[in-house]
Amino acid sequence: MRCWEEFHLNGYYNTSMQKLAAATGLQKAGLYHHYPTKEDLMRRVMEFAQEQFRNYVLSVATELDLPPEQRLEKLLRRHKKLATLHRRGCFFANIALETGREGLFNEALKTGMMDWADAVSRILSEYMPADAAQREALRLIMEYEGAVLFYKLTADEQHLEDFIHRAVANLKQASEHSSSIKQA
Amino acid sequence: MRCWEEFHLNGYYNTSMQKLAAATGLQKAGLYHHYPTKEDLMRRVMEFAQEQFRNYVLSVATELDLPPEQRLEKLLRRHKKLATLHRRGCFFANIALETGREGLFNEALKTGMMDWADAVSRILSEYMPADAAQREALRLIMEYEGAVLFYKLTADEQHLEDFIHRAVANLKQASEHSSSIKQA
DNA sequence: ACTTTTACCGACCGTTCGGTAGGTAAGTGT
DNA sequence: ACACTTACCTACCGAACGGTCGGTAAAAGT
């Protein structure tokens, strides 16, 4: 969906139906034929984004042939690819900070973030108890979103790269810790 | 400045000169008498925000009568107060994600974030080398901004509270580590 | 005293906003 | 064959947008 790109690039309020129509090759009224309001269109876009996100990023969490560290890195690197394309950042975070107070799309955004946390948590839980994995997954995502913020401000991908290194190193440390416990 | 509140609450694009004028008690043309364009007004607002931020939040970093842990906690709690008031979140982060790609205000936003990182770094550097303190300060702010994101989505202050606990606990651990090195 | 500047207003500009009305041309069902 | 639906268009709506205009009334300068 081209509309996704537009919203991702320019945010909700700074994207007009005119622009969205142009991006799809339709006229504005043609777009309104398919979606009754801008808000409805955005809701559809968000469902689509969640689906893409699940298929392209979160699916990595269940590639059980890879060891957890590599799965985590691969997952994060896929997300980084989405974020650095046209320096868009994270779609969910962009919209969340823009519309979070009014809460127009909070339910969808929340589930998007929670799906993500669950996927990361599933990876981490191989090296730590489920509740610790869940907490750490949430923390990792928070740190990542902050890194994306700095990336958007500075255009310096190093912030994202550093984060990935930190996350993977942390997981390795947790893995050593868990295996030493098993040994004991 | 009442304009700050408006931009903080509703973002840049979703705040019209009409609303800003109403918030200040002026008419629109009266507002244009003081600021030639919306962009210029926003730039002034950002300077003002930085100044307030420095005076109210970052100044805590140099209250040398408090131990570092308490200084960090006080600083973070002050920021939390700003963020939870009307559930606005972090002004810099809101505007950064909304306008970061076009880069209209990136310079000011960057210095705002870097001032912040410097203030936190100054606190941390009492327990660790300067370069490590700087890295850790940046990391803490990233994690904090992520926590604010989740707070905006869920309206649950616990995300911020948990972050503060983590940050202070981390610093305490670093303090013990540094004192054990000094003993050796 | 009088001139100039400052702060502000109501009214208005052209443009764009989200959204609608009415029409057309290509399928689709029967 | 003919009705009906679908997909899309041009043209338009009132409201709101960022921004400007000419004027006024109070303050400041001299």
Side-chain angles (χ1 to χ4, degrees):
Chain A
M1 191 85 87
R2 309 297 303 269
C3 294
W4 180 29
E5 288 187 35
E6 288 298 313
F7 278 128
H8 198 159
L9 283 168
N10 304 117
Y12 182 67
Y13 290 111
N14 195 28
T15 302
S16 68
M17 291 301 275
Q18 200 81 253
K19 281 192 215 166
L20 291 167
T24 60
L26 293 178
Q27 294 296 341
K28 202 169 43 149
L31 199 55
Y32 271 103
H33 174 69
H34 295 283
Y35 310 97
T37 69
K38 186 181 179 184
E39 205 180 307
D40 281 309
L41 169 55
M42 181 50 139
R43 256 177 250 281
R44 261 307 289 143
V45 164
M46 227 130 69
E47 286 172 30
F48 178 77
Q50 268 178 55
E51 196 190 310
Q52 293 293 108
F53 188 53
R54 260 194 285 266
N55 291 343
Y56 179 65
V57 180
L58 304 187
S59 64
V60 174
T62 52
E63 287 179 6
L64 297 173
D65 50 323
L66 286 177
E69 297 90 342
Q70 285 180 38
R71 249 182 294 157
L72 180 65
E73 179 166 356
K74 188 173 177 185
L75 186 150
L76 294 176
R77 232 169 258 291
R78 289 224 175 165
H79 204 292
K80 182 193 159 189
K81 206 166 208 168
L82 288 182
T84 52
L85 186 59
H86 305 305
R87 199 173 151 193
R88 304 178 297 186
C90 169
F91 175 67
F92 295 134
N94 290 353
I95 305 302
L97 284 203
E98 196 184 352
T99 70
R101 255 192 84 252
E102 311 137 70
L104 278 172
F105 313 111
N106 281 12
E107 280 315 310
L109 291 167
K110 237 188 288 185
T111 56
M113 298 297 276
M114 289 313 167
D115 283 355
W116 188 6
D118 286 345
V120 173
S121 169
R122 200 163 306 126
I123 298 176
L124 301 185
S125 65
E126 294 189 32
Y127 290 147
M128 56 184 86
D131 59 332
Q134 212 158 350
R135 276 199 310 275
E136 175 67 0
L138 213 62
R139 198 197 64 76
L140 277 179
I141 291 177
M142 288 177 182
E143 196 177 320
Y144 175 72
E145 291 296 356
V148 173
L149 172 71
F150 275 88
Y151 161 69
K152 269 199 104 171
L153 269 182
T154 63
D156 182 359
E157 291 191 20
Q158 199 59 45
H159 288 121
L160 299 172
E161 208 52 46
D162 288 350
F163 165 76
I164 295 178
H165 289 326
R166 277 200 301 272
V168 173
N170 269 5
L171 184 56
K172 271 196 182 121
Q173 206 174 329
S175 98
E176 283 155 22
H177 186 246
S178 85
S179 64
S180 75
I181 284 177
K182 275 177 196 161
Q183 273 183 321
Chain B
M1 190 84 88
R2 308 297 302 271
C3 294
W4 180 28
E5 288 187 35
E6 289 298 313
F7 278 128
H8 197 158
L9 283 169
N10 304 116
Y12 182 67
Y13 291 111
N14 194 27
T15 302
S16 68
M17 291 301 275
Q18 200 82 254
K19 281 192 215 165
L20 291 166
T24 59
L26 294 178
Q27 293 296 341
K28 203 169 44 148
L31 199 55
Y32 271 103
H33 174 69
H34 294 283
Y35 311 96
T37 68
K38 186 183 179 182
E39 205 179 307
D40 282 308
L41 169 55
M42 181 50 139
R43 256 178 250 281
R44 263 303 292 144
V45 163
M46 226 129 70
E47 288 172 28
F48 178 78
Q50 267 178 57
E51 196 190 311
Q52 293 291 109
F53 188 54
R54 261 194 284 266
N55 291 343
Y56 178 64
V57 179
L58 305 187
S59 64
V60 175
T62 53
E63 287 179 7
L64 297 173
D65 50 324
L66 286 177
E69 297 89 342
Q70 284 180 39
R71 250 183 295 156
L72 180 65
E73 179 165 357
K74 188 172 176 184
L75 186 150
L76 294 176
R77 232 168 259 290
R78 288 223 175 165
H79 204 293
K80 181 192 160 190
K81 207 166 208 167
L82 287 182
T84 50
L85 185 60
H86 304 305
R87 200 173 152 193
R88 304 177 297 185
C90 169
F91 175 68
F92 295 134
N94 290 353
I95 306 301
L97 284 204
E98 196 184 353
T99 71
R101 254 192 86 250
E102 311 137 74
L104 279 172
F105 314 111
N106 281 12
E107 280 314 310
L109 290 168
K110 237 188 288 185
T111 56
M113 299 296 278
M114 287 314 167
D115 283 357
W116 188 7
D118 287 345
V120 173
S121 169
R122 200 162 305 127
I123 298 177
L124 301 185
S125 66
E126 294 188 32
Y127 291 148
M128 56 185 86
D131 60 331
Q134 213 159 347
R135 276 199 309 274
E136 175 67 1
L138 214 61
R139 198 196 63 77
L140 276 179
I141 292 177
M142 288 177 181
E143 196 176 320
Y144 175 72
E145 292 295 357
V148 173
L149 171 71
F150 275 89
Y151 161 68
K152 270 199 105 172
L153 269 183
T154 62
D156 182 359
E157 291 189 21
Q158 199 59 44
H159 287 121
L160 299 172
E161 207 54 46
D162 288 350
F163 165 76
I164 295 178
H165 290 326
R166 278 199 300 272
V168 173
N170 270 5
L171 185 55
K172 269 194 182 125
Q173 205 174 328
S175 99
E176 283 155 22
H177 186 246
S178 85
S179 64
S180 74
I181 285 177
K182 276 176 195 161
Q183 272 183 322

